[in-house]
Amino acid sequence: AQTVTQSQPEMSVQEAETVTLSCTYDTSESNYYLFWYKQPPSRQMILVIRQEAYKQQNATENRFSVNFQKAAKSFSLKISDSQLGDTAMYFCAFTTGANSKLTFGKGITLSVRP
Amino acid sequence: GAGVSQSPRYKVAKRGQDVALRCDPISGHVSLFWYQQALGQGPEFLTYFQNEAQLDKSGLPSDRFFAERPEGSVSTLKIQRTQQEDSAVYLCASSSSGSMSEQFFGPGTRLTVL
């Protein structure tokens, strides 16, 4: 079975600080994609960042970066210079490409304090 | 259209009623996905279409759930004889191909079964 685990239900960070959200996954596939999605209170899910499993270089998108440890099956998200607009639920997800369905973790609620 | 749209945004049904939820994907997107998101949880896969073909319906929780996409664009998720456990947000997502391209999500339909 393919699973995604997000063990931290909630986190809080001061504005302008850095925060790291953890995620582990389990799969027997060798090729897959990993994602972090953001879901603000309005509930529209937005892609934050994507990582291809075959790439060793960690993905970066502006203030967002990942620490991808393939052997450990770990995929954490680092948010630098946190902003109030980063307040949302964050979901880790992956797909093996069989039919591209996403398997999500339970999510983490991130609150950015002013 | 700018993005994926879903209607209605909110639906209240009495137990035993049938409901139909609509998804309008981004124009030209080949792949369409339905997910169910229970309160405080991550989305769970229901079914997947590539054009008009339903390639995977392994996530549909019972035979009361039925989805269609007859012309390869708009999709409808139908739930017959709704039960309280069907209460959730139903998310639709589309992507430009069946590969690992980004899935764009709609705002969801919040279904409450009384």
Side-chain angles (χ1 to χ4, degrees), chain B residues 27-87:
Chain B
S27 178
H29 276 192
V30 169
S31 298
L32 186 145
F33 305 81
W34 283 99
Y35 296 88
Q36 180 189 58
Q37 186 176 20
L39 186 64
Q41 301 294 315
E44 292 192 354
F45 170 77
L46 293 176
T47 187
Y48 161 63
F49 291 86
Q50 187 167 326
N51 295 308
E52 69 278 3
Q54 189 175 20
L55 298 186
D56 187 348
K57 54 182 181 180
S58 62
L60 296 177
S62 77
D63 58 7
R64 297 186 295 103
F65 286 71
F66 171 77
E68 60 182 5
R69 193 186 185 197
E71 297 180 357
S73 56
V74 171
S75 176
T76 303
L77 176 66
K78 298 179 179 178
I79 309 173
Q80 298 177 323
R81 305 181 302 283
T82 53
Q83 303 295 314
Q84 284 190 324
E85 61 264 29
D86 300 335
S87 295

Side-chain angles (χ1 to χ4, degrees), chain A residues 17-22 36 48-49 59-68 75-82 86 90 110:
Chain A
E17 297 293 309
T18 295
V19 63
T20 298
L21 311 182
S22 301
W36 277 97
V48 174
I49 197 165
T60 300
E61 286 287 341
N62 300 314
R63 297 184 295 108
F64 300 88
S65 62
V66 299
N67 183 4
F68 174 47
F75 182 61
S76 61
L77 174 69
K78 186 172 80 171
I79 306 174
S80 303
D81 186 25
S82 297
D86 294 335
Y90 287 81
L110 176 66

Side-chain angles (χ1 to χ4, degrees), chain A residues 69-106:
Chain A
Q69 302 290 329
K70 191 171 183 178
K73 294 182 179 176
S74 171
F75 182 61
S76 61
L77 174 69
K78 186 172 80 171
I79 306 174
S80 303
D81 186 25
S82 297
Q83 300 177 1
L84 297 178
D86 294 335
T87 293
M89 279 201 76
Y90 287 81
F91 293 96
C92 178
F94 88 117
T95 179
T96 61
N99 63 358
S100 299
K101 69 180 180 183
L102 289 166
T103 300
F104 287 87
K106 289 187 176 183

